Amino acid sequence: MPQYKSIFKDETKLDINYVPHKLPHREAEMRLLIEFFSFALQAPDKMAQRAIIAGDVGTGKTVLSQRFGNRMTDEAVKLGINLRYVHVNCREYRGSLFLILHHIVSIFHPNFPNRGYSAEELLGMLLQILDDENAHVILALDEFESLIERESSEAVYKLTRLQEIRQDKPQRLSLICILRNLRAVDKLDLSTRSSLQSNIVNLEKYSKQQLIDILNDRVSLAFKPLTLPEETLNLTAELASSENGNARFGIELLWRSGKYADAENLNRVTPECVRKAVSSILPAMQKNEMASLRFHEKLFLLGVARVLKESQKACISFVDGEQAYSIACEEFNVKPHSHTQLWKYLKTLSALGILRTEVPATDSRGRSTLIYLPNIPVYDLEKELNVLLKKEEM
Ligand code: ADP
Ligand code: MG
């Protein structure tokens, strides 16, 4: 057996903290952000901006903001403007305004004492430092909800209003508030809310096709050429799409699937690797659920599992599943149920999340329905079904 070292070229490209250069399908949102903050490169003293980035988990809020920050600071360097982008995850600072501000001040003065001052004093000092260094900051408050929860309106009010009491001085501090749900902002008082809500960048969930593009980019950065076949990518995107269009889930799956392939010394990442990866992330398939299936549902599932195992594919056609089911019926000495009944079993199995179906866009009558086994490794499933079916046979 040949020894494949690793199918990864650079697995750090799949790290959660990696900020890729290109963010497919976020170009418009990036342009909008740059538009909101264009003054920071043109007349930084003149104003301070506030914006919100909102979207579900894995829609790219954090990475968009960070890439934006990199772009802005690169431009600023060229223009000789002292602009800093500071990205803070509020949850990591337990939502405490004091800890967050202390962190920012420490960027400028690394050994700044962490006691003896109030949050308000820290804020004053921060502005003083920025005045002294003629610096401007775009502060991204990631997981902003946790700041609102801990500090209520007051803290956010301070952050957003502090410039107004120093009207004659240059503006120094702009804000990007990153949150999942805009409803969190409703908890703020009206004036703070209105000062935030005028600039909102809303990130929609990614579609499966968009996820394919995003994952594809990552595959070429992280994997050796030709080690991750299209159908593996497709299955991964399908799964990420059903996890609410969560790109993070997709990228994590890529990484884990690659680890399974390496562990088995494979020269490519197979759909089975992905199924193993999912079953290691999502809670293991409820065995009770499987046991409670009807005899013929189990037989059909067994058929599907066998075809998938033999073909090593990510999905199979309904027709192939039906054929394999008939063979399984013969083995267990039962008469196969009708096509219509099988169709119902398929519906039940996908409602339970055990199988997933996809009808190609070109097929309006559903004849070429594809069947996926998304999150149980074929081997485990086949073993489990054989045990259950033998038991019931007796
Ligand atoms: P959120 O903060 O909304 O939960 P993240 O910004 O952490 O989401 O994104 C989740 C993962 O997906 C990260 O690894 C990120 O790099 C990646 N990602 C999200 N959107 C894109 C995109 N458009 N292009 C490339 N990678 C993306
Ligand atoms: Mg995030």
Side-chain angles (χ1 to χ4, degrees), residues 99-111:
L99 292 177
I100 292 168
L101 287 169
H102 181 265
H103 166 73
I104 307 165
V105 170
S106 324
I107 295 174
F108 294 90
H109 291 289
N111 296 316

Side-chain angles (χ1 to χ4, degrees), residues 344-384:
K344 281 191 195 141
Y345 299 156
L346 179 60
K347 286 259 149 67
T348 310
L349 292 165
S350 43
L352 288 171
I354 299 172
L355 294 179
R356 195 184 323 283
T357 58
E358 188 183 294
V359 185
T362 46
D363 174 13
S364 55
R365 300 165 77 182
R367 288 225 176 114
S368 49
T369 298
L370 296 174
I371 305 175
Y372 290 86
L373 176 67
N375 45 31
I376 321 166
V378 172
Y379 282 82
D380 296 355
L381 180 62
E382 194 187 12
K383 222 176 5 186
E384 181 73 16

Side-chain angles (χ1 to χ4, degrees), residues 16 56-63 87 89 142-143 178 180 248:
I16 185 70
D56 275 338
V57 179
T59 52
K61 301 183 294 298
T62 301
V63 80
H87 192 104
N89 185 320
D142 206 342
E143 311 216 17
I178 304 175
R180 280 194 215 168
R248 179 179 317 160

Side-chain angles (χ1 to χ4, degrees), residues 295-310:
F295 194 72
H296 280 264
E297 288 167 343
K298 291 191 189 101
L299 281 175
F300 177 60
L301 199 51
L302 179 65
V304 171
R306 286 176 173 172
V307 186
L308 279 168
K309 190 172 97 176
E310 269 149 44

